[in-house]
Amino acid sequence: MASIFTKIVNGEISSYKIAEDEHYFAFLDINPLAKGHTLVIPKKEVDYIFNIDDELYKGLFAFARKVALAIEKVTPCKRIGLTVIGLEVPHAHIHLIPINNIYDMDFKQPKLKLEANEFEAIAENIRKAYNEIP
Ligand code: 5GP
């Protein structure tokens, strides 16, 4: 059965999309730790990130870097934290989280509850910044 994230890539489940190319897809996490919390995935459905083949794996991090630079450009924060957990959704994904201190990466913290229009505004800002990166 297709993962939730494959369904998002295929447009069967809606998402607040940030960027996409032939192999990768980035979209806002629906339960964000911070405004701008984004997930970056390979379109190919692989559960465990370290089972991704070398070329696709390197490309995933290069794609995530560009997304992180875009988030950073439009989000007040010290930097963008990156983590991989993957215990909930069996489709490899990188979390990109705007942070000001180490506690901002703590997944035990309550998640933000945002309205659809807030998600859309955040996604639009990051998309614009992403498209301006050469
Ligand atoms: P992990 O697998 O890394 O432990 O967590 C999965 C992440 O995916 C969580 O942060 C969760 O909020 C996010 N997530 C789960 N289902 C959906 C969904 O349907 N849409 C979006 N945008 N994010 C999701």
Side-chain angles (χ1 to χ4, degrees):
M1 202 179 82
S3 75
I4 292 175
F5 291 170
T6 293
K7 289 181 179 167
I8 284 176
V9 170
N10 294 338
E12 295 161 42
I13 293 177
S14 66
S15 71
Y16 299 97
K17 184 166 114 177
I18 302 297
E20 171 178 20
D21 72 5
E22 188 187 351
H23 297 295
Y24 309 104
F25 195 95
F27 55 103
L28 295 181
D29 193 305
I30 206 67
N31 301 302
L33 275 171
K35 289 183 180 180
H37 181 167
T38 296
L39 302 176
V40 181
I41 65 170
K43 290 184 175 178
K44 183 177 179 191
E45 196 176 313
V46 177
D47 175 358
Y48 187 38
I49 196 159
F50 297 126
N51 285 337
I52 296 176
D53 73 63
D54 206 37
E55 198 180 331
L56 191 68
Y57 178 86
K58 285 179 191 158
L60 176 65
F61 277 80
F63 186 85
R65 175 176 177 270
K66 191 170 164 188
V67 174
L69 292 174
I71 299 169
E72 190 177 359
K73 201 165 169 196
V74 295
T75 311
C77 62
K78 267 201 179 146
R79 54 178 58 204
I80 304 300
L82 181 158
T83 191
V84 175
I85 302 174
L87 292 172
E88 187 187 318
V89 178
H91 184 146
H93 51 281
I94 293 173
H95 292 262
L96 297 176
I97 306 168
I99 56 170
N100 292 298
N101 60 62
I102 196 167
Y103 306 106
D104 294 339
M105 294 290 289
D106 181 356
F107 276 76
K108 292 197 295 299
Q109 284 193 94
K111 309 299 184 299
L112 299 182
K113 296 272 175 250
L114 302 178
E115 300 294 333
N117 63 325
E118 292 178 280
F119 275 116
E120 193 38 67
I122 293 165
E124 175 65 25
N125 274 340
I126 302 172
R127 270 197 301 270
K128 253 197 221 151
Y130 181 89
N131 290 328
E132 283 165 8
I133 296 173

